[in-house]
Amino acid sequence: MPTRTIDFHNADCSACHKKHVDIRTEIVAPSPERPNAIRKKIIWRCEDHLDCDVDEMEKLALVKIRFQDIEESDLVDGEIFLKQLDPD
């Protein structure tokens, strides 16, 4: 298993791209491969996400990863999008 170096001083929030203000090691749901094992995860939180629970942080982290490489040209204006759905 490869070893990664973690930069604890300059890490972004796990849910967004803001600078973290809090680091916690959280216990998350066991993996299906090892149901009796305890799985821990390091979660960085910014001021906006201090009160989020682990499940919410994991969901937001997935959204962050999915959309981090999106280009501005891929974005669509809301009104234009709605007119495309219903031109009448």
Side-chain angles (χ1 to χ4, degrees):
M1 190 164 162
T3 304
R4 292 186 342 186
T5 303
I6 300 172
D7 185 359
F8 286 95
H9 297 290
N10 297 317
D12 287 343
C13 174
S14 297
C16 65
H17 293 287
K18 293 181 181 178
K19 180 136 174 74
H20 79 280
V21 295
D22 182 57
I23 303 171
R24 298 181 197 167
T25 303
E26 304 278 1
I27 296 173
V28 293
S31 65
E33 298 85 34
R34 300 179 63 200
N36 294 328
I38 295 174
R39 195 169 64 122
K40 294 190 282 185
K41 188 173 196 174
I42 298 172
I43 297 180
W44 288 268
R45 289 178 169 89
C46 66
E47 291 179 4
D48 295 339
H49 296 106
L50 278 176
D51 296 328
C52 294
D53 64 3
V54 178
D55 293 331
E56 187 173 357
M57 289 299 290
E58 285 200 308
K59 289 176 190 174
L60 292 171
L62 289 172
V63 170
K64 176 184 172 181
I65 291 168
R66 178 164 178 137
F67 293 107
Q68 70 183 357
D69 295 328
I70 196 166
E71 299 289 330
E72 187 175 348
S73 61
D74 296 333
L75 301 175
V76 180
D77 180 60
E79 289 182 26
I80 294 171
F81 178 74
L82 290 175
K83 285 181 184 177
Q84 289 174 348
L85 291 177
D86 187 19
D88 295 332

